[in-house]
Amino acid sequence: MFDRICEEINCIFDRDPAARSVFEVITTYPGFHANLWHRISHCLWNLNMRWLARFISTFSRWLTGIEIHPGARIGRRFFIDHGMGVVIGETAEIGDDCTLYHGVTLGGTSWQKGKRHPTLGNNVIVGAGAQVLGPIHIGNGVRIGSNTVVVKNIPENATVIGIPGHIMNSKEHQKIKQQIAIKCIGFEAYGAIPNSPDPLERTVNDLIAHIHSLDNRIEQMTTIIQRLNKLIPEECLGFIDLTENNIEKNNLKKQETR
């Protein structure tokens, strides 16, 4: 147990540059306090002392502003930064070396008993205000951006942003991940990768580029039709030429035939 506590203190120094001393972490970090209280309540929950476990978790929420159900399974070196408003449901499972920021919800979408909360793999970062809902699986090394809503399974080493969550799997994202790996930066605060491209913005830009290409093709086709109109008799291509002069000629011919 003492080794586990030392691990959690060390991981706080690794992920929070504001931490100055062990005494400061032990006395002022609500995420650290909530994790300790959860260890106690979870042991009582497994011993079928359910009311006492819920009472301790409620007391912990009153002290820290973090609500962790006693039935939730949490791995080693778990860190909740700031922590206010974090909610972790009963059947949630969290792997090792995971980080949650304030306002995160690991919630359920069903009133049926059984597995109804998400499962997080190892080394997962969930940004502030993100909502991970339902009995879904989040793979190892996933980064979930702030205010993202995730309702489906996410593969390993992916970055998710948006509402609903979109997986960033573009070539630009791969280049950014390679740059981060070269710099040996293994932790992205709030699940945000610097200069990360927005998938929706990229889609809109692609549509605009496609419209411009269509405009160019139409101009080319119009130019070719006008050239053909000079080479082929007017009787054959008069209906293709949409210039004002040709439209007037066609109208005059129609009137003469009438």
Side-chain angles (χ1 to χ4, degrees), residues 145-162:
S146 298
N147 297 319
T148 300
V149 178
V150 183
V151 293
K152 61 181 180 180
N153 296 333
I154 304 298
E156 294 184 356
N157 301 318
T159 299
V160 187
I161 60 174

Side-chain angles (χ1 to χ4, degrees), residues 21-214:
S21 65
V22 175
F23 181 76
E24 180 183 7
V25 170
I26 294 175
T27 55
T28 64
Y29 273 64
F32 177 74
H33 301 156
N35 204 6
L36 290 181
W37 285 113
H38 173 72
R39 303 296 182 188
I40 298 172
S41 64
H42 185 66
C43 291
L44 295 174
W45 183 268
N46 291 334
L47 294 173
N48 290 325
M49 302 175 67
R50 301 298 171 87
W51 180 87
L52 184 58
R54 290 300 303 270
F55 179 80
I56 292 176
S57 66
T58 302
F59 178 73
S60 173
R61 181 183 63 177
W62 180 69
L63 288 177
T64 64
I66 300 170
E67 181 176 350
I68 306 177
H69 194 282
R73 299 180 180 179
I74 298 177
R76 306 178 68 171
R77 298 174 296 277
F78 176 58
F79 177 43
I80 302 177
D81 199 359
H82 302 293
M84 181 62 69
V86 170
V87 178
I88 300 175
E90 176 185 0
T91 60
E93 299 178 28
I94 301 175
D96 299 334
D97 301 299
C98 292
T99 302
L100 270 62
Y101 286 87
H102 52 279
V104 169
T105 300
L106 304 182
T109 56
S110 173
W111 290 351
Q112 303 295 328
K113 293 184 178 181
K115 178 64 174 176
R116 58 188 186 280
H117 296 93
T119 298
L120 273 60
N122 300 327
N123 197 27
V124 174
I125 299 176
V126 185
Q131 312 293 307
V132 186
L133 307 175
I136 60 177
H137 184 269
I138 308 299
N140 298 333
V142 170
R143 304 295 186 261
I144 299 176
S146 298
N147 297 319
T148 300
V149 178
V150 183
V151 293
K152 61 181 180 180
N153 296 333
I154 304 298
E156 294 184 356
N157 301 318
T159 299
V160 187
I161 60 174
I163 303 176
H166 299 278
I167 299 175
M168 296 170 51
N169 54 3
S170 64
K171 295 181 179 179
E172 296 177 359
H173 174 247
Q174 297 298 330
K175 291 181 180 179
I176 293 172
K177 295 292 286 185
Q178 291 176 0
Q179 293 174 0
I180 292 175
I182 292 173
K183 295 180 180 179
C184 298
I185 300 175
F187 179 77
E188 295 88 38
Y190 293 91
I193 295 179
N195 301 321
S196 59
D198 186 351
L200 296 179
E201 180 182 358
R202 186 175 64 251
T203 302
V204 173
N205 291 334
D206 291 342
L207 289 174
I208 293 174
H210 183 64
I211 291 172
H212 285 314
S213 65
L214 288 178

